[in-house]
Amino acid sequence: MTTIALLDGDIFAFEVAAAAEVATDWGDGLWTLHAHEEPAKAVLADRVQSLVEAVGADELIIALSDKTNFRKSILPTYKANRNGIRRPMLLPILRDYLRENYEVFERPGLEGDDVLGILSTWDQLKGTKVIVTKDKDFNSIPCNVYFAHRPDDGIKSVTEEEADYFHMVQTLTGDTTDNYKGCPGCGPVKAEKVLAADPEKSLWDKVVAAYVKAGSCEEEALVQARCARILRACDYDFKKKEPILWTP
């Protein structure tokens, strides 16, 4: 059976672009930052090839994020902590390089993570699919995933039950990188305790109870859950090309 590598283009293009920047001290307090396109493109091509080989893939699809993000309509402050932060100067060029040389999927309003989540759970894409990334959030997708920064772990298979559980953990803890806060006062240890208690209750009921106990409400829990949810094929309207917001 064909093995398809689903590559997180955002992460690997960013890494290569950042590493390509060289600071130069010209003396008298003058510093400049420069980067060379062609060597960076070669490094990125080598990186992509090594990752394809690492998972034994026959085919490759690279996912990139769109400029717009549907989560900002749910939570306007989503990723607002990144506003004003300089991106590596070669990042747009390397993204274009990926588009020009590989099969790249981008969809309106979606992050690259969502594209990967949809493709990995879409029955119409035949073959053994493996997400290649460094992002722990893919523990919330029922998929095969290869974490490139932990190569010795090999390819991990995440079950639907495990993915649903991790989604609820993220809903409770939030994610400071993406600027959604989760349940007030709830870190990873407390989240595990919340979800382990009251075995007769559903995970969602436990999450809501934790939010209410913290002085919040179910509506806020739902906002956080929708921000935490990486889309699966069931969360996407292929005809309208828009997300179907997660509902418990």
Side-chain angles (χ1 to χ4, degrees), residues 59-206:
E59 297 180 14
L60 169 66
I61 297 173
I62 298 177
L64 293 174
S65 293
D66 187 40
K67 292 180 180 179
T68 59
N69 191 319
F70 79 93
R71 288 177 181 83
K72 291 184 178 180
S73 66
I74 300 168
L75 182 67
T77 55
Y78 182 77
K79 289 191 174 180
N81 54 329
R82 303 187 188 188
N83 293 342
I85 296 177
R86 186 187 70 83
R87 291 187 167 194
M89 63 183 81
L90 289 185
L91 184 56
I93 292 167
L94 293 185
R95 285 169 61 90
D96 285 341
Y97 174 80
L98 293 177
R99 294 184 185 102
E100 292 164 3
N101 291 276
Y102 302 94
E103 182 177 8
V104 170
F105 273 50
E106 299 173 85
R107 292 296 180 269
L110 300 189
E111 296 183 57
D113 291 0
D114 298 309
V115 175
L116 294 171
I118 291 167
L119 291 176
S120 67
T121 55
W122 188 35
D123 291 341
Q124 297 302 309
L125 182 60
K126 304 298 182 183
T128 300
K129 293 158 281 190
V130 182
I131 293 175
V132 182
T133 185
K134 289 187 173 183
D135 190 344
K136 66 177 175 53
D137 292 350
F138 283 101
N139 285 302
S140 68
I141 293 291
C143 67
N144 301 310
V145 57
Y146 176 79
F147 293 108
H149 58 305
R150 297 204 302 269
D152 291 343
D153 292 350
I155 297 172
K156 176 182 180 180
S157 293
V158 182
T159 67
E160 187 169 7
E161 182 179 4
E162 290 169 339
D164 292 344
Y165 181 87
F166 192 84
H167 175 220
M168 290 297 98
V169 170
Q170 291 287 85
T171 300
L172 286 167
T173 61
D175 190 329
T176 55
T177 301
D178 290 338
N179 206 42
Y180 65 93
K181 305 301 184 183
C183 181
C186 194
V189 173
K190 186 173 181 180
E192 296 285 351
K193 290 180 178 179
V194 166
L195 297 176
D198 299 322
E200 299 301 317
K201 286 186 176 181
S202 69
L203 292 178
W204 178 246
D205 286 341
K206 296 176 191 180

